[in-house]
Amino acid sequence: MQHKNGMLIFRSLLMCLFVMAVAGCGSQVRVSGKVVLKGTDQPIARGVIYFANDTNVAHGALNTEGEFRMSSKGQNDGLPAGTYTVYLTGTSEVDFSTTKKGMTTITEKAAIADKYTKQSTSDIVVEVNSRSRHFVIEVDGPGK
């Protein structure tokens, strides 16, 4: 009887491990999209976009067309389904120039409104699931 109980427990544990492994593998949603200035087709062509909530953070580099693919554990692997706040970093343009005296000056020009640069101030919220995986993120320009 002990042998049968031991085998039953072993099989139950093995089944639990199998179910957890399968569930974990299928939970990532591949997410892509584009970031543009609100009301235009003008892409935000530099920086990093983040999707974050209380338990997950994923990021994606913006290409010159403003397009991105999200990564959380590996490159372009997506993120778990859920509700996320969207924010961006590194979107400013930096200009280096030399003065008449040979000094280098650095000027930073914002590309987006400051509220989108922090999770705590961004008002962009998206719902990621198997049917909602491609997003066009519209952001206000600087000064708004």
Side-chain angles (χ1 to χ4, degrees):
M1 187 69 169
Q2 255 184 345
H3 179 69
K4 285 185 179 183
N5 284 341
M7 285 301 290
L8 183 61
I9 291 170
F10 177 75
R11 286 182 183 163
S12 296
L13 286 172
L14 194 58
M15 182 58 81
C16 285
L17 289 172
F18 175 77
V19 168
M20 287 181 357
V22 170
C25 291
S27 63
Q28 295 284 99
V29 178
R30 291 186 184 256
V31 173
S32 62
K34 184 173 184 173
V35 181
V36 297
L37 281 178
K38 194 175 283 182
T40 74
D41 247 357
Q42 182 180 341
I44 303 299
R46 71 175 40 195
V48 178
I49 186 168
Y50 294 88
F51 284 29
N53 63 20
D54 291 340
T55 56
N56 297 295
V57 176
H59 65 281
L62 301 177
N63 68 19
T64 57
E65 299 299 316
E67 299 167 333
F68 63 88
R69 292 180 187 266
M70 300 306 289
S71 302
S72 59
K73 296 177 184 174
Q75 185 153 359
N76 302 331
D77 66 337
L79 61 158
T83 302
Y84 292 87
T85 300
V86 177
Y87 65 102
L88 298 106
T89 62
T91 59
S92 297
E93 295 180 20
V94 179
D95 181 44
F96 297 91
S97 58
T98 306
T99 65
K100 291 179 183 178
K101 294 183 179 183
M103 301 291 290
T104 301
T105 60
I106 302 171
T107 308
E108 188 174 3
K109 180 182 174 192
I112 63 173
D114 192 48
K115 69 179 179 178
Y116 301 120
T117 63
K118 296 180 188 84
Q119 181 182 0
S120 61
T121 57
S122 178
D123 59 1
I124 302 172
V125 177
V126 297
E127 184 69 33
V128 173
N129 58 53
S130 62
R131 290 167 294 171
S132 181
R133 59 179 63 211
H134 185 81
F135 300 92
V136 175
I137 306 294
E138 293 187 312
V139 294
D140 291 318
K144 295 200 178 193

